[in-house]
Amino acid sequence: MTGGSVSALVSDASYTQAQLYFLDELAQRAGVYTVARALDLSGDLDPAALDAAVRGCVRRHESLRTCFRVLDGRLRQIVTAHEPALRVVDLRSLLARGGPADGAELVAQMARQEAAEPFDLRRVPLLRTTLVRLTDQRSVLLVTLHHIIADAWSLDLFLREVFARYRARVTGSPDTLPEPSLQYADFAAWQQRAEATGGHDRLLAHWRERLRDLRELDLPTDRPRPPERSYRGRSHPVPLDDRVVERLRVLCREEGASLYMALLAAFYVVLHRYSGQEDLTIGGTTSGRARPEVQHMIGFFVKMLVLRTPVRAEQTLRDVLRATTGTCQDAYDHQELPFERLVAAQGGVRKADRHPLFQVVFQMIDQSDDDLSVPGLAVRMREQPATAATFDLVCTVTGTAGRLSAALDYATDLWDRETVAALGDAWGSALRELAHRPDRAVRDVPLAEEHPHAPTALADEVRRATALADLPSDAALSVRDPWGHPAPQGVVGELVRRDLPDAPWVATGLVVRAGADGRLRAAPVADSVPVPEPAHAEHAAPVGEVERELASLWADLLDVAVVGRHDNFFLLGGHSLLATVLVTRAQERYGTDVTLDEFFRDPTPAGLAEAIAAAAGTGRGAAGADELAALVDALEQEEDHA
């Protein structure tokens, strides 16, 4: 989709963009799907040259000039000629007058706010660049993009190109970057053609068989899952021992596995021991850039993979590594199927409080260690901890210059920091065992050290149990897993007691869990039986004009003959993009800003009609989707005022 002189070019979005558009709408544009970097700049900086470098990069990559609209029942990407300018925030005078000490905390706060500021996907730009001037010799560059136009790989490409262009301008060198032969819209068109010609049918059949009778991973949490996600999150660093990593590399060469597979195998062991489940399903990621044509293209390519692996207590760690290797290789061999296509084919009721298929993700990222510095200007990347959680738990291993670091990003709705720290320690223990004793049985792997509790740690409902009626005040208590090992904090286990220092531990039969505050509370016995899908409601005809119109729209979108007022959209075959189209059409038809989140609470004609009435009652008018001609005209006006 290169070239052209019109102000806007319109084409279908890719499957990944359609899914992310849906998720962004579901999150009510809360700013959780952004990719951000902060860079320290030290030396002689030419802001005009930096602005020109940013604009040049935006001109070269259509993705950076793209916005999105639902038009004619499809999500379209609209490429404009818009070039976002570099915003400059000059703090030099403020800091010179004795403002905040060196501006460090102020800049950190600005970086957090910039990364969390939401984008409106219907309007350009979906890229923000802000230069914060601290002194004549020190500045910070903040770069934020919405994930729908770029992934982390793309952001690294963007930064390399920006500073290459900056170097050329300040040194007077020619700009040697060639015009790209393909753009992201070309990739999206190829993907759509593959679907239209049946290119995904074999892959879809494979994945549906692979995910038959899928059960959700059920990890113990500090709090019940709330009905609506807040997307609040934190990050906990997990140290990785270089010596353990080297031993794992040797083991991987013996087993024909990658280091990622070994790290994941140990993580599977922890998930098995935490949950008690033998059928474990989590998410993984690939760059989605296996084809050489897209290696240097800016866009949203990263793919989610479903990684389902059996883990049993009697297996050895080596067995788990081999099973994990098979799982990953199978997933890589069938990765061309868009994840969103698989989700739609799996069907079932979508829930607003969780992702489909999995809630835990394990990924490994090779972070660029390129030196972006240019003559007279040193450039250094800043660390930016996660503050948003789009999954329950994400374990990210980052490789930089041959060394590994790891972090657990977690939803604070569900977990406390101490519980996640204990999980990280358990993973570290499993990694050491895999590296040094790979033929040890999974059930024999110790995940935590013994830390006895005093009777004062007992919650009242546990203290009153008959099994503790004669408990001495100086007794020791511990929580054990089914194989007699000390249970990590947060894991459900059996309470054992030791009344005298040299006495043996005695089981009490009480099932407890140690919380982040050290208290031992009663816990339910884990149950991995999947929750049944809600049954189809008995047919009831739509009531009123709005319900009848919505039922007709339902029938048209889902290609079904009859829709009742209580028929669930997703049980009838609806999926995320169709839900987005449905809500968009409802906004257009009734002039109200009813949201996807409201639709998810009751995805029936009766429920949506009630949400529309409530939105109308609060005066929330919909912006509406412009006709294409009006949209292009508006974009041209934006250009005139840019």
Side-chain angles (χ1 to χ4, degrees), residues 531-548:
V531 178
E533 299 286 7
H536 286 274
E538 291 187 16
H539 179 79
V543 175
E545 181 181 358
V546 174
E547 286 190 18
R548 285 192 290 271

Side-chain angles (χ1 to χ4, degrees), residues 40-254:
D40 284 306
L41 311 179
S42 303
D44 296 323
L45 174 66
D46 183 343
L50 184 58
D51 179 58
V54 170
R55 288 177 180 268
C57 188
V58 171
R59 281 193 297 272
R60 189 167 181 266
H61 297 279
E62 290 181 355
S63 291
L64 302 177
R65 298 180 271 116
T66 299
C67 61
F68 299 83
R69 295 288 176 95
V70 176
L71 299 168
D72 301 323
R74 301 174 69 89
L75 182 67
R76 307 299 182 101
Q77 53 179 322
I78 303 164
V79 179
T80 75
H82 186 83
E83 295 178 14
L86 176 69
R87 176 189 175 210
V88 179
V89 178
D90 197 334
L91 301 179
R92 288 177 293 183
S93 296
L94 173 65
L95 297 176
R97 293 197 304 268
D102 77 14
E105 179 53 37
L106 180 58
V107 171
Q109 181 180 354
M110 292 178 65
R112 289 192 297 269
Q113 290 176 342
E114 187 75 0
E117 181 69 20
F119 288 99
D120 182 350
L121 299 186
R122 297 170 296 185
R123 300 185 180 281
V124 286
L126 299 180
L127 159 70
R128 292 191 295 263
T129 54
T130 301
L131 179 67
V132 184
R133 303 299 308 273
L134 302 176
T135 69
D136 290 342
Q137 294 292 307
R138 292 177 54 233
S139 300
V140 177
L141 177 64
L142 306 177
V143 180
T144 309
L145 305 93
H146 196 284
H147 220 320
I148 200 169
I149 64 167
D151 48 27
W153 181 308
S154 296
L155 185 47
D156 288 338
L157 286 175
F158 173 78
L159 291 175
R160 285 200 295 272
E161 182 171 327
V162 163
F163 282 100
R165 289 178 177 275
Y166 178 85
R167 181 184 299 108
R169 292 190 70 88
V170 298
T171 61
S173 304
D175 184 347
T176 58
L177 289 172
E179 285 300 311
S181 59
L182 294 172
Q183 295 283 357
Y184 186 82
D186 299 306
F187 164 78
W190 167 83
Q191 194 180 62
Q192 296 288 348
R193 283 195 301 272
E195 173 66 22
T197 57
H200 293 153
D201 293 351
R202 179 186 60 83
L203 296 171
L204 183 58
H206 171 85
W207 278 109
R208 295 191 74 166
E209 180 61 30
R210 185 91 173 99
L211 302 184
R212 185 187 299 275
D213 301 322
L214 188 71
R215 295 187 174 193
E216 186 174 293
L217 179 63
D218 184 19
L219 293 176
T221 59
D222 292 309
R223 286 170 290 282
R225 183 184 302 277
E228 295 182 13
R229 287 185 290 178
S230 71
Y231 297 95
R232 289 190 294 269
R234 293 186 63 182
S235 185
H236 175 76
V238 180
L240 295 178
D241 190 313
D242 290 343
R243 293 167 297 181
V244 170
V245 171
E246 286 308 309
R247 289 293 296 265
L248 289 175
R249 293 186 196 275
V250 173
L251 177 63
C252 288
R253 286 193 290 270
E254 295 173 358

Side-chain angles (χ1 to χ4, degrees), residues 222 234-238 274 392-394 407-412 414-427 489-490 513 516:
D222 292 309
R234 293 186 63 182
S235 185
H236 175 76
V238 180
Y274 265 61
D392 291 358
L393 182 69
V394 178
L408 291 169
D409 298 334
Y410 60 98
T412 54
L414 302 177
W415 282 294
D416 294 318
R417 180 185 61 81
E418 294 83 358
T419 302
V420 175
L423 190 149
D425 292 342
W427 180 42
Q489 179 183 304
R513 179 177 182 273

Side-chain angles (χ1 to χ4, degrees), residues 328-347:
C328 292
Q329 289 176 340
D330 179 80
Y332 299 154
D333 289 343
H334 299 88
Q335 66 175 290
E336 289 297 336
L337 181 71
F339 178 73
E340 300 69 30
R341 184 73 178 85
L342 175 60
V343 171
Q346 282 293 101

Side-chain angles (χ1 to χ4, degrees), residues 32 74 97 159 172 185 206 217 270 276 278 288 306 338 377 380 401 459 495 506 520 573:
V32 297
R74 301 174 69 89
R97 293 197 304 268
L159 291 175
H206 171 85
L217 179 63
V270 174
E278 296 183 340
V306 186
L377 186 68
R380 183 180 62 85
L495 183 69
V506 178
L520 298 172

